[in-house]
Amino acid sequence: FNLNRPSLAIRAYRKGIKADPRSIETWENLGAVYQALERTKEAKKAYETILEIDPDNSAGLRFFRRLQD
């Protein structure tokens, strides 16, 4: 994603999620953008969604735990 234009990245990932709401990769990318922008609440929600889709997803667990600290 391009942090020079985060709104475009967020819009693209949200569009991808509408097309495939169970796409873990898209949720990870959306969470990463939010995390880079220090929008912790939104990043946490993205990572929580990954864990709702796949509770054993190691990347989702790792990212979520980082935000808990």
Side-chain angles (χ1 to χ4, degrees):
F1 61 89
N2 183 345
L3 281 180
N4 293 325
R5 306 203 52 199
S7 62
L8 290 179
I10 290 169
R11 197 171 328 150
Y13 293 134
R14 290 211 166 273
K15 189 175 183 179
I17 287 166
K18 278 189 176 187
D20 182 4
R22 298 185 56 80
S23 172
I24 289 174
E25 183 178 349
T26 307
W27 281 108
E28 281 180 16
N29 290 334
L30 181 61
V33 173
Y34 284 140
Q35 194 170 357
L37 295 172
E38 298 181 4
R39 291 172 59 177
T40 306
K41 185 176 179 180
E42 290 103 327
K44 253 177 147 173
K45 178 59 182 154
Y47 299 139
E48 285 173 348
T49 302
I50 292 169
L51 297 175
E52 288 170 8
I53 296 167
D54 178 8
D56 297 320
N57 185 280
S58 61
L61 286 168
R62 186 175 60 250
F63 294 134
F64 185 76
R65 285 183 183 144
R66 270 191 217 153
L67 293 177
Q68 297 294 5
D69 296 335

